[in-house]
């Protein structure tokens, strides 16, 4: 008896059939040969590349997210790294380790999510690889172009006196994850517009196209994205730059959506703002006025010869209103 198309697994269709499903879901004229040939960068432009791995059960759950949302999430976390350099994403490669019993529709949905999320950037899924595995693992590599002679935005460019800027929400992904864990299943999260919005942000966060490139063009000196938690990521930037960053509590305080979710779960929303990651909010520093789409959230300070900001013998490079923040932990993949 023939297997209905919608019930076919990757074992049923094999490598060639799985790749064909990916190409059909995220079509690109560049995808299909032994390797993709990309156009050469313009004069004074440089190539930028980054890669991330998503492991089912650790970085996403198909019990909570649709395959398309997983693809979107994979693109966002890679494109955030490209944008944090001030570069423009141009192409994506996906390597997929997949159990044989995985429905082809799951693979097709992941590829479709990648193609849809990459499309606003004029980027395409141009190739990759598929192998059999005991666990679903997605490895995405994003390529980008850094246009012009100006230096890339790096995490070591902050200087005393610079303004700390941010573009995007803080704590929304962590709040969405907390809601999913509390209610156990996505369909059990109350039909509440705010709660649903937070869950959606955790499952499929998005970026505003070009926001990192704009910051670079308007004089930003450093940038990173909030992937591991606000305090943890800003600490890395501060340490690498040799400064102290003092965040303004009024500028980063939990917004109305977070306060509403916190009331439902009876928790402190500050833990989401300070320790939650995966919002992929762009955070940087500049000596100028914040460019469009950015807000001021703090300032960079000189490290004094005798630093009073020491907690249990550990030097604090990030403060909130001049004091050690209540939450200093974040996400760690290891």
């Amino acid at each position: 008896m023939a297997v209905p198309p919608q019930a076919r697994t990757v074992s049923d269709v094999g490598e060639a059939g799985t790749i064909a499903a990916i190409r059909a879901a995220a079509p690109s004229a560049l995808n299909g040969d032994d390797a993709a040939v990309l156009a050469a960068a313009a004069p004074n432009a440089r190539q930028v590349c980054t890669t991330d791995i998503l492991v089912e059960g650790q970085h996403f759950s198909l019990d909570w997210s649709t395959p398309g949302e997983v693809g979107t999430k994979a693109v966002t976390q890679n494109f955030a790294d490209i944008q944090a350099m001030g570069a423009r994403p141009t192409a994506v490669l996906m390597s997929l380790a997949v159990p044989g019993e995985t429905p082809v529709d799951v693979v097709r949905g992941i590829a479709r999510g990648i193609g849809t999320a990459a499309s606003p950037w004029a980027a395409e899924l141009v190739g990759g690889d598929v192998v059999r595995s005991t666990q679903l693992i997605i490895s995405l590599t994003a390529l980008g172009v850094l246009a012009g002679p100006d230096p890339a935005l790096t995490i070591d460019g902050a200087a005393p006196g610079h303004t700390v800027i941010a573009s995007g929400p803080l704590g929304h992904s962590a709040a969405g994850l907390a809601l999913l864990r509390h209610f156990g299943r996505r369909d059990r999260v109350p039909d509440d517009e705010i709660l649903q919005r937070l869950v959606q942000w955790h499952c499929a966060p998005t970026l505003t196209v070009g926001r990192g490139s704009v910051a670079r063009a308007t004089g930003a000196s450093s940038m990173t994205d909030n992937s591991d938690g606000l305090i943890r990521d800003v600490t890395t930037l501060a340490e690498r730059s040799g400064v102290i960053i003092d965040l303004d509590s009024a500028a980063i305080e939990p917004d109305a959506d977070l306060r509403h979710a916190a009331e439902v779960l009876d928790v402190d929303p500050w833990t989401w703002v300070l320790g939650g990651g995966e919002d992929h909010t762009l955070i940087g520093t500049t000596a100028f006025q914040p460019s469009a789409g950015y807000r001021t959230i703090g300032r960079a300070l000189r490290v004094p010869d005798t630093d009073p900001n020491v907690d249990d013998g550990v030097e604090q490079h990030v403060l909130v209103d001049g004091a050690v923040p209540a939450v200093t932990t974040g996400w760690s993949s290891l």
Side-chain angles (χ1 to χ4, degrees), residues 89-260:
T90 55
V92 182
L93 296 149
M94 175 181 69
S95 291
L96 192 67
V98 59
E101 66 272 15
T102 302
V104 176
D105 274 353
V106 169
V107 176
R108 186 180 291 113
I110 292 171
R112 187 176 293 117
I114 290 171
T116 299
S119 179
W121 306 80
E124 297 177 346
L125 179 61
V126 299
D129 192 19
V130 177
V131 297
R132 181 79 66 89
S133 173
T134 59
Q135 191 173 11
L136 179 57
I137 301 173
I138 306 164
S139 177
L140 217 66
T141 296
L143 306 176
V145 171
L146 194 67
D150 292 341
L153 298 178
T154 58
I155 60 174
D156 60 357
H162 284 187
T163 298
V164 182
I165 57 176
S167 175
L170 294 171
H172 283 210
S173 179
L177 177 59
L179 288 163
L180 287 166
R181 285 175 170 169
H182 177 82
F183 290 104
R185 287 184 2 196
R186 191 165 180 175
D187 59 6
R188 290 178 180 167
V189 178
D191 187 16
D192 175 298
E193 181 180 356
I194 292 176
L195 302 186
Q196 292 293 331
R197 185 162 60 236
L198 293 171
V199 167
Q200 174 67 22
W201 190 261
H202 172 73
C203 293
T206 58
L207 297 172
T208 300
V209 174
R211 195 57 58 81
S213 304
V214 168
R216 175 172 173 256
T218 54
S221 58
S222 68
M223 186 157 284
T224 188
D225 76 294
N226 177 24
S227 56
D228 297 332
L230 177 64
I231 299 301
R232 176 163 288 185
D233 289 318
V234 174
T235 294
T236 299
L237 190 152
E239 288 179 342
R240 292 285 297 273
S241 298
V243 299
I244 289 174
I245 287 181
D246 190 9
L247 299 173
D248 180 0
S249 64
I252 63 172
E253 67 180 355
D255 61 20
D257 285 6
L258 294 186
R259 293 196 300 272
H260 175 68

Side-chain angles (χ1 to χ4, degrees), residues 72 82 194 303:
T72 296
I82 295 286
I194 292 176
V303 177

Side-chain angles (χ1 to χ4, degrees), residues 46-127:
R46 287 149 286 168
Q47 294 286 346
V48 178
C49 60
T50 187
T51 189
D52 269 305
I53 296 175
L54 288 85
V55 179
E56 186 177 16
Q58 183 175 355
H59 301 102
F60 68 91
S61 170
L62 290 175
D63 292 335
W64 293 343
S65 303
T66 67
E69 288 172 337
V70 174
T72 296
K73 187 171 189 173
V75 168
T76 295
Q77 67 182 46
N78 276 271
F79 281 14
D81 288 338
I82 295 286
Q83 278 281 277
M85 305 299 292
R88 176 179 62 85
T90 55
V92 182
L93 296 149
M94 175 181 69
S95 291
L96 192 67
V98 59
E101 66 272 15
T102 302
V104 176
D105 274 353
V106 169
V107 176
R108 186 180 291 113
I110 292 171
R112 187 176 293 117
I114 290 171
T116 299
S119 179
W121 306 80
E124 297 177 346
L125 179 61
V126 299

